[in-house]
Amino acid sequence: MSGMHAAPVAAKAHATLVVADLDQLFDEHGIALPGPDSHLVLVMHGHHTLKYHRPAPPSAGGKAAQRGPELFFEGAEHTAIGDNALLRYEVGQPGIPAHQSPLPLPNGLNLTYGQVIALGGDFYGLPERPIADGGTDAERIERFIQAFDSLARLQAAKAEAEQILAVMQEEIRAANQAIKDGRQPHEAYDALGDSLSARWNRITGGGSFASDLFPLGRYLKLAASNWDHFGPWALLAYQAGHAAALQQALKARASGAERDLQLAYAMNAFADHFLTDLFSAGHLRVPRKALADTVTPSDVGSLISRFMHDEDSKYGLAVRNAEGEQWRAYGDKRYFDSVDVANRRQVARAVQRSVDEVFQAFAEGRAPQAKDFSALRLAPDLRAAEQDLVPGNFAALYLQDGKAVLRRKDVNDLNDRNRIGDWWGWSTYLLLKDYKPNKPTGFIDAPATAPVITGWERLEPDGLNWQRGNAVRYAFSITDQLNESYIGPWSGYAELTDQFHPSVQVPADGKQRGRNLFRQFRGGSPELIASLDAKTTLYIDRNA
């Protein structure tokens, strides 16, 4: 993961809501409206999912009740990021894994750090008051606190959040099953489509999508004004939330109450939703708000920005940060994929820095200024991403140029760096709705063969996984600087009975490129265990 849309126009309480396919606008019969107070929602055939949906008369494009890519890191991804962090409560004492230290909220909810990250922004907040729209630092902090309180203090949120998380668990189980099967987890998200999103909309006050008439839940309304999750707006939202959490940590120091520090951690988890969005490729360079502001009608501008989000999320972007590190970041639904290992490491480091800064404020009684927030030094450089300053990226579908937005001339050619300014939203949508873009320069196809076990190093079990009754298998990807293929086929599982720690033959790449070797024990998760140069073909797996 959240539609790329302008702010919604509130529907009148007695208005009739009509949902129609966007392509009907081009039909000779058009779309019939039952009355002057009708509220029309346009959706895209074959691409509707709730997070792209946005209601606004006379037209609204985007996510509704069918399948298509999502805009945020998915809930399971957000949860995993946060629950791997370490929370500290006493100076000199080690941190406690966040999943083992639930945070009590004023309304009685007890949530893990990762669960708060997953719920923040996507499910809780004020749709009519985006955090980044605040005119000053103080106003943005105030808006953040109001958004956080909608989860932490409202009594109605207690039962509701528990229902949301129960549905989210289905998402987590599907992703985990894909991992165990050796498949890429984004395949599980694709299979789920919008089914969970429709249920989340109902939980947050919306109606069923079984018919053409349905009320909009908060989940859907938040998706309409979601620029807090993109680029510079996500940066502002995180800075506001982290500042609020630091202020709460100072209060906890003064009171000495552990619950006050736990509240600071919960506030920071809500803020870290926006921090983690800064590591999702589809959120870095999309001129989300500019398209909504400049294309007429604005809903179409928001709608067509989805395609750029999808491209960037799928193929990833080469990024760099303030500490001089470079890596390739992928987007939503790809956090657990084999190609996103480096990005997964970076976002985990950033969240831990964010957490540690809260404890440091508590321990030392002082808080840094927003420009010095340490987690942001690890985040991708937004200016570099927006202005194509990191070599190795394909041509952006849209580029903001002052107040104007330029479009890639040939929308089907990801490598076309020619841009035009005289383009129209509707005609661009017609070009994009069935387009089949080519692969970007540098794209590497997955290998067609699997590694082969050629021998064994030990006859006795050792360690946690090298035990009799277990089994192990291998696969590899091809790498070339920041570009990497998906992993190829897995070898068959080799049973561990009286032989352990194999020698693995990894086929050489015909183009003299490197390879990453992955291992999976039966029932476990695939893990990257070695990066091989172009010439090395034999690897002895002595790792634990």
Side-chain angles (χ1 to χ4, degrees):
M1 348 269 290
S2 47
M4 301 180 184
H5 311 292
V9 177
K12 296 179 181 179
H14 58 278
T16 300
L17 187 63
V18 177
V19 180
D21 196 291
L22 179 61
D23 290 338
Q24 287 182 251
L25 283 181
F26 304 96
D27 185 85
E28 61 178 327
H29 301 294
I31 300 172
L33 299 178
D37 292 325
S38 299
H39 188 66
L40 176 63
V41 174
L42 299 180
V43 295
M44 294 172 56
H45 179 69
H47 294 283
H48 329 144
T49 55
L50 289 177
K51 291 182 184 177
Y52 282 120
H53 175 82
R54 178 252 191 270
S59 67
K63 270 189 158 187
Q66 295 187 18
R67 293 182 177 157
E70 315 247 17
L71 280 182
F72 292 117
F73 275 139
E74 300 305 295
E77 296 174 331
H78 275 301
T79 303
I81 295 168
D83 280 351
N84 284 326
L86 298 175
L87 306 182
R88 296 171 64 197
Y89 290 95
E90 295 183 30
V91 175
Q93 295 298 314
I96 302 171
H99 65 88
Q100 296 178 5
S101 182
L103 303 171
L105 300 181
N107 60 2
L109 275 170
N110 278 280
L111 302 174
T112 68
Y113 197 93
Q115 288 173 331
V116 178
I117 292 181
L119 293 170
D122 279 2
F123 298 94
Y124 290 92
L126 278 65
E128 69 282 3
R129 289 177 61 81
I131 298 165
D133 280 2
T136 64
D137 291 346
E139 185 180 351
R140 287 189 288 272
I141 291 174
E142 178 189 6
R143 286 174 177 237
F144 171 84
I145 292 173
Q146 291 175 340
F148 173 73
D149 285 350
S150 71
L151 168 65
R153 298 188 183 276
L154 291 182
Q155 283 300 315
K158 187 175 187 298
E160 184 187 74
E162 291 170 351
Q163 294 178 58
I164 292 170
L165 292 171
V167 174
M168 195 176 294
Q169 193 61 39
E170 298 180 31
E171 180 182 64
I172 293 171
R173 282 196 295 268
N176 284 342
Q177 188 61 52
I179 291 170
K180 289 180 181 179
D181 293 343
R183 297 181 290 118
Q184 297 300 322
H186 78 257
E187 299 174 22
Y189 290 117
D190 291 345
L192 285 170
D194 70 291
S195 59
L196 304 187
S197 295
R199 291 163 64 185
W200 284 324
N201 188 67
R202 291 197 298 272
I203 292 170
T204 58
S208 171
F209 293 97
S211 66
D212 285 342
L213 302 179
F214 58 89
L216 307 178
R218 185 184 62 257
Y219 176 77
L220 202 56
K221 293 176 182 177
L222 282 168
S225 54
N226 73 329
W227 42 84
D228 279 344
H229 305 258
F230 285 84
W233 299 280
L235 176 63
L236 288 173
Y238 169 70
Q239 288 175 323
H242 189 54
L246 293 173
Q247 291 175 4
Q248 175 61 31
L250 296 178
K251 293 178 183 177
R253 176 183 174 85
S255 70
E258 183 175 284
R259 286 184 71 95
D260 285 342
L261 179 56
Q262 290 173 320
L263 184 60
Y265 279 141
M267 295 174 74
N268 201 64
F270 200 102
D272 277 353
H273 182 104
F274 309 108
L275 173 65
T276 56
D277 279 338
L278 288 171
F279 288 83
S280 179
H283 293 248
L284 297 180
R285 63 177 186 174
V286 177
R288 184 254 184 268
K289 198 170 186 181
L291 282 164
D293 290 344
T294 59
V295 175
T296 303
S298 65
D299 306 298
V300 174
S302 296
L303 169 65
I304 59 177
S305 61
R306 177 183 62 81
F307 295 91
M308 179 176 173
H309 167 272
D310 295 353
E311 293 177 357
D312 289 357
S313 292
K314 179 179 180 178
Y315 294 110
L317 296 176
V319 297
R320 70 186 187 200
N321 63 21
E323 298 195 350
E325 299 166 320
Q326 290 195 24
W327 72 99
R328 182 168 292 276
Y330 288 81
D332 309 334
K333 300 193 295 186
R334 295 175 187 270
Y335 170 79
F336 294 113
D337 282 6
S338 60
V339 292
D340 207 40
V341 170
N343 195 44
R344 204 154 59 230
R345 184 182 304 117
Q346 290 295 103
V347 69
R349 291 174 62 205
V351 167
Q352 190 62 57
R353 279 196 185 185
S354 183
V355 169
D356 290 345
E357 211 159 58
V358 171
F359 182 76
Q360 185 177 9
F362 168 78
E364 300 179 1
R366 56 185 177 85
Q369 297 180 359
K371 65 181 181 62
D372 297 322
F373 290 166
S374 61
L376 294 175
R377 290 189 55 81
L378 295 177
D381 183 327
L382 292 175
R383 177 175 172 273
E386 292 166 353
Q387 299 185 17
D388 200 19
L389 302 181
V390 182
N393 288 325
F394 58 93
L397 183 56
Y398 309 108
L399 175 69
Q400 187 168 354
D401 182 18
K403 294 184 178 180
V405 177
L406 306 179
R407 197 202 75 196
R408 191 169 66 217
K409 185 175 181 180
D410 183 352
V411 298
N412 288 284
D413 186 359
L414 298 182
N415 304 305
D416 181 12
R417 297 192 178 275
N418 296 308
R419 298 185 175 98
I420 58 174
D422 55 341
W423 58 279
W424 297 91
W426 283 119
S427 59
T428 295
Y429 165 72
L430 291 174
L431 289 173
L432 290 169
K433 72 184 187 73
D434 296 315
Y435 87 139
K436 295 178 174 60
N438 58 3
K439 295 175 182 177
T441 300
F443 179 84
I444 306 174
D445 288 313
T449 57
V452 176
I453 293 175
T454 59
W456 298 86
E457 297 299 308
R458 286 179 56 89
L459 299 179
E460 295 296 329
D462 71 311
L464 179 64
N465 291 301
W466 297 105
Q467 297 291 324
R468 292 186 176 92
N470 206 350
V472 67
R473 65 179 181 175
Y474 297 87
F476 73 98
S477 64
I478 299 171
T479 63
D480 184 13
Q481 296 181 341
L482 296 183
N483 295 320
E484 181 180 3
S485 75
Y486 275 101
I487 59 175
W490 286 95
S491 64
Y493 273 115
E495 298 294 329
L496 303 179
T497 54
D498 55 359
Q499 49 193 10
F500 307 89
H501 294 285
S503 300
V504 183
Q505 188 76 35
V506 184
D509 173 60
K511 297 182 179 180
Q512 295 297 303
R513 295 175 292 194
R515 284 137 302 138
N516 281 338
L517 181 62
F518 293 81
R519 176 184 64 197
Q520 184 178 22
F521 290 103
R522 184 164 51 204
S525 302
E527 54 183 328
L528 173 64
I529 59 170
S531 294
L532 308 179
D533 61 31
K535 296 181 180 179
T536 301
T537 58
L538 186 66
Y539 178 78
I540 300 175
D541 187 3
R542 295 190 176 97
N543 293 322

mmCIF file of all heavy atoms in Angstrom, residues 369-393:
data_model
loop_
_atom_site.group_PDB
_atom_site.id
_atom_site.type_symbol
_atom_site.label_atom_id
_atom_site.label_comp_id
_atom_site.label_asym_id
_atom_site.label_seq_id
_atom_site.Cartn_x
_atom_site.Cartn_y
_atom_site.Cartn_z
ATOM 1 N N GLN A 369 15.460 18.361 16.131
ATOM 2 C CA GLN A 369 14.572 19.069 15.223
ATOM 3 C C GLN A 369 14.241 18.170 14.032
ATOM 4 O O GLN A 369 14.937 17.189 13.745
ATOM 5 C CB GLN A 369 15.239 20.358 14.741
ATOM 6 C CG GLN A 369 15.518 21.357 15.843
ATOM 7 C CD GLN A 369 16.182 22.618 15.319
ATOM 8 O OE1 GLN A 369 16.464 22.746 14.129
ATOM 9 N NE2 GLN A 369 16.429 23.563 16.215
ATOM 10 N N ALA A 370 13.187 18.520 13.331
ATOM 11 C CA ALA A 370 12.713 17.675 12.234
ATOM 12 C C ALA A 370 13.783 17.440 11.172
ATOM 13 O O ALA A 370 13.896 16.343 10.622
ATOM 14 C CB ALA A 370 11.465 18.287 11.604
ATOM 15 N N LYS A 371 14.578 18.457 10.890
ATOM 16 C CA LYS A 371 15.598 18.314 9.848
ATOM 17 C C LYS A 371 16.688 17.320 10.242
ATOM 18 O O LYS A 371 17.462 16.859 9.392
ATOM 19 C CB LYS A 371 16.231 19.675 9.540
ATOM 20 C CG LYS A 371 17.009 20.289 10.699
ATOM 21 C CD LYS A 371 17.580 21.644 10.330
ATOM 22 C CE LYS A 371 18.377 22.276 11.470
ATOM 23 N NZ LYS A 371 19.548 21.468 11.860
ATOM 24 N N ASP A 372 16.759 16.976 11.539
ATOM 25 C CA ASP A 372 17.792 16.074 12.032
ATOM 26 C C ASP A 372 17.268 14.687 12.382
ATOM 27 O O ASP A 372 18.008 13.887 12.965
ATOM 28 C CB ASP A 372 18.466 16.691 13.266
ATOM 29 C CG ASP A 372 19.174 17.994 12.950
ATOM 30 O OD1 ASP A 372 19.776 18.089 11.862
ATOM 31 O OD2 ASP A 372 19.109 18.920 13.794
ATOM 32 N N PHE A 373 16.018 14.385 12.053
ATOM 33 C CA PHE A 373 15.485 13.058 12.355
ATOM 34 C C PHE A 373 16.345 12.002 11.656
ATOM 35 O O PHE A 373 16.485 11.997 10.418
ATOM 36 C CB PHE A 373 14.037 12.938 11.913
ATOM 37 C CG PHE A 373 13.068 13.755 12.741
ATOM 38 C CD1 PHE A 373 11.771 13.984 12.305
ATOM 39 C CD2 PHE A 373 13.443 14.296 13.968
ATOM 40 C CE1 PHE A 373 10.871 14.718 13.058
ATOM 41 C CE2 PHE A 373 12.552 15.043 14.734
ATOM 42 C CZ PHE A 373 11.274 15.257 14.273
ATOM 43 N N SER A 374 16.911 11.101 12.431
ATOM 44 C CA SER A 374 17.937 10.207 11.897
ATOM 45 C C SER A 374 17.394 9.172 10.917
ATOM 46 O O SER A 374 18.111 8.747 10.006
ATOM 47 C CB SER A 374 18.652 9.496 13.048
ATOM 48 O OG SER A 374 17.746 8.716 13.814
ATOM 49 N N ALA A 375 16.144 8.738 11.065
ATOM 50 C CA ALA A 375 15.596 7.731 10.163
ATOM 51 C C ALA A 375 15.553 8.221 8.726
ATOM 52 O O ALA A 375 15.708 7.439 7.782
ATOM 53 C CB ALA A 375 14.193 7.329 10.620
ATOM 54 N N LEU A 376 15.364 9.525 8.555
ATOM 55 C CA LEU A 376 15.231 10.068 7.205
ATOM 56 C C LEU A 376 16.547 10.045 6.441
ATOM 57 O O LEU A 376 16.549 10.134 5.213
ATOM 58 C CB LEU A 376 14.674 11.491 7.262
ATOM 59 C CG LEU A 376 13.235 11.580 7.785
ATOM 60 C CD1 LEU A 376 12.795 13.030 7.924
ATOM 61 C CD2 LEU A 376 12.284 10.822 6.856
ATOM 62 N N ARG A 377 17.659 9.908 7.130
ATOM 63 C CA ARG A 377 18.940 9.790 6.431
ATOM 64 C C ARG A 377 19.044 8.450 5.694
ATOM 65 O O ARG A 377 19.841 8.309 4.772
ATOM 66 C CB ARG A 377 20.105 9.945 7.411
ATOM 67 C CG ARG A 377 20.261 11.361 7.954
ATOM 68 C CD ARG A 377 21.551 11.502 8.754
ATOM 69 N NE ARG A 377 22.735 11.107 7.998
ATOM 70 C CZ ARG A 377 23.357 11.866 7.112
ATOM 71 N NH1 ARG A 377 22.885 13.087 6.842
ATOM 72 N NH2 ARG A 377 24.425 11.432 6.479
ATOM 73 N N LEU A 378 18.243 7.487 6.098
ATOM 74 C CA LEU A 378 18.254 6.183 5.442
ATOM 75 C C LEU A 378 17.224 6.089 4.326
ATOM 76 O O LEU A 378 17.299 5.186 3.484
ATOM 77 C CB LEU A 378 17.985 5.082 6.465
ATOM 78 C CG LEU A 378 19.044 4.895 7.557
ATOM 79 C CD1 LEU A 378 18.598 3.824 8.540
ATOM 80 C CD2 LEU A 378 20.395 4.542 6.959
ATOM 81 N N ALA A 379 16.249 6.994 4.317
ATOM 82 C CA ALA A 379 15.166 6.934 3.325
ATOM 83 C C ALA A 379 15.666 7.378 1.957
ATOM 84 O O ALA A 379 16.610 8.171 1.850
ATOM 85 C CB ALA A 379 13.998 7.810 3.763
ATOM 86 N N PRO A 380 15.056 6.885 0.886
ATOM 87 C CA PRO A 380 15.436 7.328 -0.449
ATOM 88 C C PRO A 380 15.349 8.839 -0.592
ATOM 89 O O PRO A 380 14.427 9.471 -0.066
ATOM 90 C CB PRO A 380 14.415 6.633 -1.358
ATOM 91 C CG PRO A 380 14.052 5.382 -0.606
ATOM 92 C CD PRO A 380 14.050 5.798 0.840
ATOM 93 N N ASP A 381 16.310 9.402 -1.289
ATOM 94 C CA ASP A 381 16.349 10.834 -1.575
ATOM 95 C C ASP A 381 15.223 11.152 -2.562
ATOM 96 O O ASP A 381 15.269 10.727 -3.727
ATOM 97 C CB ASP A 381 17.717 11.187 -2.160
ATOM 98 C CG ASP A 381 17.907 12.671 -2.445
ATOM 99 O OD1 ASP A 381 16.916 13.344 -2.805
ATOM 100 O OD2 ASP A 381 19.043 13.155 -2.340
ATOM 101 N N LEU A 382 14.229 11.890 -2.122
ATOM 102 C CA LEU A 382 13.067 12.167 -2.968
ATOM 103 C C LEU A 382 13.434 13.012 -4.180
ATOM 104 O O LEU A 382 12.946 12.782 -5.281
ATOM 105 C CB LEU A 382 11.979 12.860 -2.149
ATOM 106 C CG LEU A 382 11.313 12.009 -1.075
ATOM 107 C CD1 LEU A 382 10.341 12.851 -0.264
ATOM 108 C CD2 LEU A 382 10.606 10.809 -1.687
ATOM 109 N N ARG A 383 14.281 13.998 -3.983
ATOM 110 C CA ARG A 383 14.683 14.846 -5.102
ATOM 111 C C ARG A 383 15.419 14.024 -6.163
ATOM 112 O O ARG A 383 15.170 14.184 -7.368
ATOM 113 C CB ARG A 383 15.578 15.986 -4.609
ATOM 114 C CG ARG A 383 16.119 16.889 -5.722
ATOM 115 C CD ARG A 383 16.902 18.068 -5.162
ATOM 116 N NE ARG A 383 17.576 18.811 -6.213
ATOM 117 C CZ ARG A 383 18.793 18.528 -6.680
ATOM 118 N NH1 ARG A 383 19.464 17.502 -6.151
ATOM 119 N NH2 ARG A 383 19.331 19.238 -7.639
ATOM 120 N N ALA A 384 16.292 13.128 -5.737
ATOM 121 C CA ALA A 384 17.011 12.287 -6.690
ATOM 122 C C ALA A 384 16.052 11.384 -7.452
ATOM 123 O O ALA A 384 16.225 11.155 -8.653
ATOM 124 C CB ALA A 384 18.056 11.454 -5.954
ATOM 125 N N ALA A 385 15.036 10.866 -6.751
ATOM 126 C CA ALA A 385 14.067 10.000 -7.421
ATOM 127 C C ALA A 385 13.207 10.785 -8.401
ATOM 128 O O ALA A 385 12.970 10.346 -9.528
ATOM 129 C CB ALA A 385 13.189 9.310 -6.382
ATOM 130 N N GLU A 386 12.737 11.959 -7.983
ATOM 131 C CA GLU A 386 11.852 12.764 -8.820
ATOM 132 C C GLU A 386 12.566 13.298 -10.051
ATOM 133 O O GLU A 386 11.981 13.379 -11.139
ATOM 134 C CB GLU A 386 11.283 13.923 -8.000
ATOM 135 C CG GLU A 386 10.312 13.487 -6.901
ATOM 136 C CD GLU A 386 10.046 14.599 -5.902
ATOM 137 O OE1 GLU A 386 10.712 15.650 -5.989
ATOM 138 O OE2 GLU A 386 9.177 14.411 -5.029
ATOM 139 N N GLN A 387 13.844 13.672 -9.907
ATOM 140 C CA GLN A 387 14.580 14.292 -11.007
ATOM 141 C C GLN A 387 15.488 13.315 -11.737
ATOM 142 O O GLN A 387 16.335 13.729 -12.528
ATOM 143 C CB GLN A 387 15.373 15.485 -10.475
ATOM 144 C CG GLN A 387 14.491 16.566 -9.865
ATOM 145 C CD GLN A 387 15.271 17.806 -9.458
ATOM 146 O OE1 GLN A 387 16.402 18.021 -9.887
ATOM 147 N NE2 GLN A 387 14.656 18.641 -8.637
ATOM 148 N N ASP A 388 15.330 12.044 -11.486
ATOM 149 C CA ASP A 388 16.046 10.996 -12.214
ATOM 150 C C ASP A 388 17.556 11.175 -12.094
ATOM 151 O O ASP A 388 18.289 11.105 -13.094
ATOM 152 C CB ASP A 388 15.612 11.004 -13.683
ATOM 153 C CG ASP A 388 15.915 9.672 -14.371
ATOM 154 O OD1 ASP A 388 16.100 8.671 -13.663
ATOM 155 O OD2 ASP A 388 15.967 9.640 -15.617
ATOM 156 N N LEU A 389 18.033 11.388 -10.867
ATOM 157 C CA LEU A 389 19.451 11.634 -10.646
ATOM 158 C C LEU A 389 20.241 10.371 -10.336
ATOM 159 O O LEU A 389 21.466 10.424 -10.229
ATOM 160 C CB LEU A 389 19.621 12.649 -9.505
ATOM 161 C CG LEU A 389 18.953 14.015 -9.697
ATOM 162 C CD1 LEU A 389 19.226 14.915 -8.509
ATOM 163 C CD2 LEU A 389 19.421 14.672 -10.990
ATOM 164 N N VAL A 390 19.563 9.243 -10.174
ATOM 165 C CA VAL A 390 20.245 7.976 -9.911
ATOM 166 C C VAL A 390 20.228 7.155 -11.202
ATOM 167 O O VAL A 390 19.156 6.840 -11.711
ATOM 168 C CB VAL A 390 19.566 7.201 -8.770
ATOM 169 C CG1 VAL A 390 20.325 5.902 -8.487
ATOM 170 C CG2 VAL A 390 19.477 8.055 -7.514
ATOM 171 N N PRO A 391 21.390 6.809 -11.738
ATOM 172 C CA PRO A 391 21.419 6.039 -12.998
ATOM 173 C C PRO A 391 20.743 4.686 -12.844
ATOM 174 O O PRO A 391 20.769 4.073 -11.774
ATOM 175 C CB PRO A 391 22.927 5.871 -13.256
ATOM 176 C CG PRO A 391 23.597 6.945 -12.462
ATOM 177 C CD PRO A 391 22.736 7.136 -11.247
ATOM 178 N N GLY A 392 20.125 4.229 -13.944
ATOM 179 C CA GLY A 392 19.574 2.886 -13.960
ATOM 180 C C GLY A 392 18.070 2.806 -13.890
ATOM 181 O O GLY A 392 17.524 1.697 -13.834
ATOM 182 N N ASN A 393 17.367 3.944 -13.910
ATOM 183 C CA ASN A 393 15.910 3.913 -13.854
ATOM 184 C C ASN A 393 15.294 4.145 -15.230
ATOM 185 O O ASN A 393 15.848 4.858 -16.063
ATOM 186 C CB ASN A 393 15.388 4.960 -12.871
ATOM 187 C CG ASN A 393 15.663 4.570 -11.431
ATOM 188 O OD1 ASN A 393 15.625 3.394 -11.099
ATOM 189 N ND2 ASN A 393 15.956 5.539 -10.589
#
